[in-house]
C-alpha cells in the first residue's frame, strides 16, 4: 500500500512538471517510482498514464496546434514501434534500467549545454526522426518526450503552440505504443491497478503545473529540471549495477 502511495505521489509530481514545461511527466516519474516497481509493470502503466495525460494537454491547447509539424511524427512513429517490439525481446530488465538511466543523464547534460535561452528554427522534416526515436524510447522506457521536445522546441512556435504540438505528438506516438503493448500481452491487472491509482494524481499535478506556469521563469526552471534529471539518471544506473 505504501509503495502504491509513493508511486502515485511520483506521478503527481511528474504531472506538475509536465504542466509547466509541456513534457517531462514520465521522465520525472519513472526515476522516482523505479525503486518500488518492476519495469515490466512500470513501462506499460506509464504508457497508459502518459497517453491519458497528453489527451488532456492536447485538448487544452488544441486550437494552438500547427499541424504541419505533426505529419512527420505520425509517419516516423510506425517503424520505431515495429523495430522495438522485436528488439526488446533480447534485453534484460537490468540492461533496460541502465539504458534508461544513462539516456536520462546524457539527455540532461546535452540540454544544459544546448539550452542558451535563445531560439532556432528547424525544418518540419526533422519530425520523421523525432517520431521514430520517440516511439522507440516509449516502447523501451515508457517515456517518449525528449526527441519530440527537442524537435518542437526549435519549431519557432509560441509557447502555447509548443504545448499543443507536444500533446498531439505524444498522443500519436502513445496510441502506437499502447496498442503494441496491448497486442503483446504486457497490459495486465497489475498495470491497470497502477494506471487507475496514478492517473487522477498525474492529471491533478498537470492542472496545477499549467496554472502556475505563467508565473515562472522557464529558462531558470529548465536549468533546475535538467540538473535534477542528471542526478536521477545517475541514481538509476548506480542501483542497476
Amino acid at each position: 500500500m505504501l509503495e502504491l502511495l509513493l508511486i502515485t505521489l511520483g506521478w503527481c509530481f511528474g504531472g506538475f512538471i509536465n504542466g509547466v514545461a509541456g513534457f517531462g511527466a514520465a521522465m520525472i516519474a519513472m526515476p522516482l517510482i523505479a525503486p518500488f516497481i518492476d519495469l515490466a509493470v512500470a513501462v506499460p502503466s506509464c504508457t497508459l498514464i502518459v497517453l491519458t495525460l497528453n489527451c488532456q494537454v492536447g485538448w487544452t491547447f488544441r486550437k494552438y496546434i500547427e499541424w504541419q509539424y505533426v505529419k512527420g511524427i505520425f509517419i516516423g512513429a510506425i517503424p520505431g514501434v515495429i523495430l522495438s517490439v522485436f528488439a526488446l525481446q533480447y534485453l534484460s530488465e537490468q540492461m533496460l534500467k541502465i539504458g534508461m538511466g544513462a539516456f536520462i543523464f546524457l539527455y540532461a547534460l546535452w540540454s544544459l549545454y544546448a539550452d542558451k535561452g535563445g531560439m532556432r528554427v528547424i525544418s518540419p522534416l526533422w519530425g520523421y526522426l523525432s517520431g521514430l526515436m520517440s516511439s522507440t524510447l516509449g516502447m523501451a522506457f515508457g517515456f517518449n518526450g525528449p526527441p519530440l521536445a527537442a524537435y518542437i522546441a526549435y519549431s519557432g512556435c509560441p509557447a502555447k503552440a509548443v504545448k499543443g504540438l507536444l500533446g498531439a505528438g505524444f498522443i500519436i506516438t502513445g496510441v502506437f505504443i499502447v496498442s503494441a503493448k496491448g497486442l503483446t500481452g504486457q497490459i495486465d491487472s497489475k498495470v491497470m491497478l497502477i494506471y487507475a491509482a496514478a492517473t487522477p494524481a498525474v492529471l491533478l499535478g498537470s492542472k496545477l503545473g499549467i496554472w502556475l506556469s505563467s508565473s515562472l521563469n522557464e529558462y531558470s526552471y529548465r536549468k533546475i529540471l535538467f540538473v535534477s534529471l542528471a542526478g536521477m539518471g545517475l541514481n538509476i544506473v548506480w542501483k542497476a549495477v
Side-chain angles (χ1 to χ4, degrees), residues 45-166:
S45 62
C46 177
T47 59
L48 287 168
I49 293 166
V50 170
L51 177 57
T52 304
L53 171 62
N54 284 296
C55 285
Q56 178 205 44
V57 175
W59 179 259
T60 300
F61 296 99
R62 64 192 183 282
K63 64 181 179 180
Y64 303 104
I65 297 173
E66 298 192 17
W67 292 102
Q68 69 268 30
Y69 290 97
V70 175
K71 181 180 72 172
I73 296 172
F74 177 86
I75 295 173
I78 299 172
V81 168
I82 294 172
L83 291 172
S84 298
V85 167
F86 295 103
L88 291 176
Q89 299 179 47
Y90 304 100
L91 299 175
S92 67
E93 179 162 321
Q94 182 186 33
M95 292 172 65
L96 286 175
K97 283 189 173 181
I98 292 172
M100 178 174 69
F103 181 86
I104 291 173
F105 175 72
L106 293 173
Y107 171 75
L109 288 187
W110 175 82
S111 299
L112 284 168
Y113 171 77
D115 188 6
K116 307 298 184 183
M119 177 61 68
R120 297 187 284 150
V121 178
I122 61 175
S123 169
L125 293 175
W126 284 98
Y128 297 99
L129 179 61
S130 71
L132 186 148
M133 294 179 65
S134 176
S135 59
T136 301
L137 284 175
M139 285 291 293
F141 306 130
F143 55 80
N144 57 348
L148 293 181
Y151 163 58
I152 293 171
Y154 296 115
S155 64
C157 298
K160 289 183 178 179
V162 166
K163 289 188 177 182
L165 282 168
L166 284 169

Side-chain angles (χ1 to χ4, degrees), residues 2-4 6-7 31-38 97 194 239:
L2 177 60
E3 290 182 349
L4 185 60
L6 293 172
I7 290 168
L32 293 175
I33 71 174
F36 312 111
I37 187 172
D38 292 336
K97 283 189 173 181
I194 299 298
K239 288 184 177 180

